[in-house]
Amino acid sequence: MKTGLFGGTFNPVHSGHVMIATDILSCFALDGIIIIPAASPPHKTAEFMADISLRLEMTRLAFNGQPGCTVSDIETRRVGRSYTIDTVNHFRKTLPAGTDLFFIAGLDAFLELDTWKDYLALMETIPFIVITRPVPDSPEKEALKTFLSLKISDRYTFSPDKACYEHETLRPVFLYERPAIHISSTEIRERLKQGRPIRGMVPDSVEQFIKKKGLYQ
Ligand code: ATP
């Protein structure tokens, strides 16, 4: 079994998140993706942060009916900060033995990896799938290469056949190349604050939920 773990703040979840998860599911032939909203993300300020129960509910609405996608409340059940290493270890213990896990991250998130708790232990534990644009020698890919070599290990080498960075002791970093999706939760929050439409940027069910609850105004 191959399972992807897709963590984030999902404040709010948007159509880009759904596209990323469903595309990666088929491109990497995963059996499932677990979407994990962070209760108390160490990297994001609490300003404009909707309560975890609301973010969880919106995430469930967004992924409802998407085959292979399930939403986990594991980070809401843990007291204190949400750390990816704890979440990964939780799933390593609770999923059936032999499950191959992958952690899915946008490039912006991955480039902050060296600020995550126990990030080297994380790199020893789980392969990453990092979303980049399909442009050869793009600034994004250069940034990823430089980051890996300066902040993680200079012994990662790129394998063009597998589209991944490999290492003799750390886990691989796979590239998932796709054209940019120009949607972010930040822009959605800003639009809502300004009373501008968000149609198409979030699934309809999420838009209705945001309106009903008057979120991000
Ligand atoms: P914010 O604008 O508040 O920073 P966000 O839109 O990046 O939020 P997150 O919940 O932080 O949403 O995202 C979860 C994961 O999805 C992260 O790894 C992030 O890099 C990735 N991601 C989010 N939006 C995109 C996008 N449009 N293209 C590629 N990756 C994305």
Side-chain angles (χ1 to χ4, degrees), residues 6-12 14 16-17 20 44 104-110 131 180-187 189:
F6 187 27
T9 41
F10 303 107
N11 182 39
H14 56 67
H17 294 131
I20 289 164
K44 308 238 174 171
I104 300 163
L107 182 65
D108 57 334
F110 187 76
I131 305 147
I181 305 169
H182 297 287
I183 308 176
S184 71
S185 302
T186 304
E187 192 190 345
R189 292 194 301 274

Side-chain angles (χ1 to χ4, degrees), residues 128-197:
F128 272 74
I129 297 175
V130 178
I131 305 147
T132 58
R133 291 187 214 189
V135 186
D137 304 323
S138 68
E140 284 100 338
K141 278 193 205 148
E142 283 304 311
L144 175 61
K145 190 170 153 191
T146 307
F147 176 81
L148 275 177
S149 132
L150 292 183
K151 304 280 186 169
I152 309 293
S153 164
D154 59 6
R155 299 208 308 276
Y156 267 106
T157 52
F158 188 66
S159 157
D161 294 348
K162 298 184 205 154
C164 86
Y165 283 90
E166 293 178 308
H167 195 279
E168 67 264 28
T169 51
L170 301 178
R171 306 305 305 274
V173 177
F174 293 92
L175 301 190
Y176 168 58
E177 302 187 72
R178 64 153 300 141
I181 305 169
H182 297 287
I183 308 176
S184 71
S185 302
T186 304
E187 192 190 345
I188 292 164
R189 292 194 301 274
E190 280 170 7
R191 280 175 164 264
L192 287 162
K193 206 164 175 215
Q194 295 158 358
R196 292 163 64 205

Side-chain angles (χ1 to χ4, degrees), residues 4-105:
L5 302 179
F6 187 27
T9 41
F10 303 107
N11 182 39
V13 64
H14 56 67
S15 302
H17 294 131
V18 180
M19 271 185 248
I20 289 164
T22 52
D23 286 3
I24 288 180
L25 192 72
S26 58
C27 286
F28 284 81
L30 302 181
D31 298 289
I33 292 193
I34 304 174
I35 299 100
I36 312 155
S40 177
H43 294 94
K44 308 238 174 171
T45 61
E47 202 187 0
F48 306 124
M49 185 67 72
D51 188 82
I52 178 59
S53 60
L54 298 168
R55 288 184 285 117
L56 197 55
E57 205 165 336
M58 288 189 279
T59 310
R60 287 195 173 120
L61 287 171
F63 285 94
N64 184 29
Q66 296 290 346
C69 296
T70 51
V71 176
S72 165
D73 66 356
I74 174 63
E75 295 208 353
T76 68
R77 288 191 268 126
R78 202 181 293 135
V79 179
R81 294 275 187 208
S82 306
Y83 292 111
T84 301
I85 186 82
D86 301 328
T87 300
V88 168
N89 284 333
H90 163 82
F91 285 110
R92 285 175 73 212
K93 279 186 211 132
T94 53
L95 289 174
T99 304
D100 288 327
L101 289 176
F102 298 82
F103 197 87
I104 300 163

